[in-house]
Amino acid sequence: SQTIHQWPATLVQPVGSPLSLECTVEGTSNPNLYWYRQAAGRGLQLLFYSVGIGQISSEVPQNLSASRPQDRQFILSSKKLLLSDSGFYLCAWSVRGAGKADTQYFGPGTRLTVL
Amino acid sequence: GNSVTQMEGPVTLSEEAFLTINCTYTATGYPSLFWYVQYPGEGLQLLLKATKADDKGSNKGFEATYRKETTSFHLEKGSVQVSDSAVYFCALMGNNNDMRFGAGTRLTVKP
């Protein structure tokens, strides 16, 4: 069966510090991968999605970046965190090429607090 | 671009009450539509989905029908339980595998 892991589960970082959040998927190959942010009391905002290694699409301009160094690994990074980067970060995957009804499966999330 | 508009909450109901959470969408082509649920402190879980017009998705007593003529995918349940308390997200997947979520509706069911 497929599983998706995210770490760390929680993180407290000072403003201006770097960030690296990792997401890995097991039990499937060539998944589509997604990063979302859920700010407190708000909905989900799609940040990045990837349909293959090295292929990253950015949805909103920001000080975050994403990379996909391996097929089932998706990393969210920042060189300098802002207070507004605080939130709940969710990674998700879906089956590629299975048709347009690609259900997304979400990881447990990382709660980031920037102080 | 594609977007989803969801009924704002919070919604508070008594146990066994009827639930409706409205969702409308804007999209080009023929998107797939989803409802996800987020229980406190957890990630999102798929609740139900529909892939084409007039399809009805259903799960755990929840239902939603893909209405292309009204561009809607309203979530309904005939009799809610305390355990249904959660945040519900309507979502759309477009032709580019990009997902759009509504803002979420917090449901609280009281005994």
Side-chain angles (χ1 to χ4, degrees), chain A residues 30-34 48-58 66-71 73-74 96:
Chain A
N30 303 316
N32 294 322
L33 295 171
Y34 307 81
F48 301 95
Y49 68 96
S50 171
V51 298
I53 295 175
Q55 300 178 62
I56 310 292
S57 296
S58 175
S67 62
R68 185 169 178 173
Q70 301 179 43
D71 180 46
Q73 184 183 31
F74 205 23
R96 195 185 337 158

Side-chain angles (χ1 to χ4, degrees), chain A residues 82-112:
Chain A
L82 306 174
L83 287 174
S84 57
D85 291 325
S86 294
F88 191 48
Y89 287 81
L90 289 162
C91 181
W93 73 273
S94 67
V95 176
R96 195 185 337 158
K100 64 184 178 70
D102 286 354
T103 300
Q104 294 196 353
Y105 301 94
F106 285 80
T110 295
R111 187 162 301 283
L112 171 66

Side-chain angles (χ1 to χ4, degrees), chain B residues 53-70:
Chain B
D54 300 325
D55 267 3
K56 177 185 285 187
S58 60
N59 185 26
K60 300 181 180 180
F62 291 89
E63 292 183 341
T65 301
Y66 188 151
R67 301 286 189 198
K68 193 164 180 64
E69 64 275 14
T70 55

Side-chain angles (χ1 to χ4, degrees), chain A:
Chain A
S1 63
Q2 301 88 0
T3 55
I4 178 168
H5 304 279
Q6 283 186 248
W7 64 89
T10 60
L11 189 61
V12 180
Q13 292 285 97
V15 169
S17 64
L19 173 74
S20 181
L21 303 181
E22 190 164 343
C23 171
T24 59
V25 180
E26 297 177 355
T28 187
S29 298
N30 303 316
N32 294 322
L33 295 171
Y34 307 81
W35 276 113
Y36 292 88
R37 176 170 59 204
Q38 185 179 26
R42 300 179 66 181
L44 271 70
Q45 179 185 36
L46 178 64
L47 301 175
F48 301 95
Y49 68 96
S50 171
V51 298
I53 295 175
Q55 300 178 62
I56 310 292
S57 296
S58 175
E59 288 296 301
V60 292
Q62 59 209 329
N63 69 321
L64 298 171
S65 62
S67 62
R68 185 169 178 173
Q70 301 179 43
D71 180 46
R72 291 170 290 176
Q73 184 183 31
F74 205 23
I75 297 173
L76 184 69
S77 304
S78 174
K79 293 182 179 178
K80 288 186 177 182
L81 283 169
L82 306 174
L83 287 174
S84 57
D85 291 325
S86 294
F88 191 48
Y89 287 81
L90 289 162
C91 181
W93 73 273
S94 67
V95 176
R96 195 185 337 158
K100 64 184 178 70
D102 286 354
T103 300
Q104 294 196 353
Y105 301 94
F106 285 80
T110 295
R111 187 162 301 283
L112 171 66
T113 304
V114 182
L115 301 175

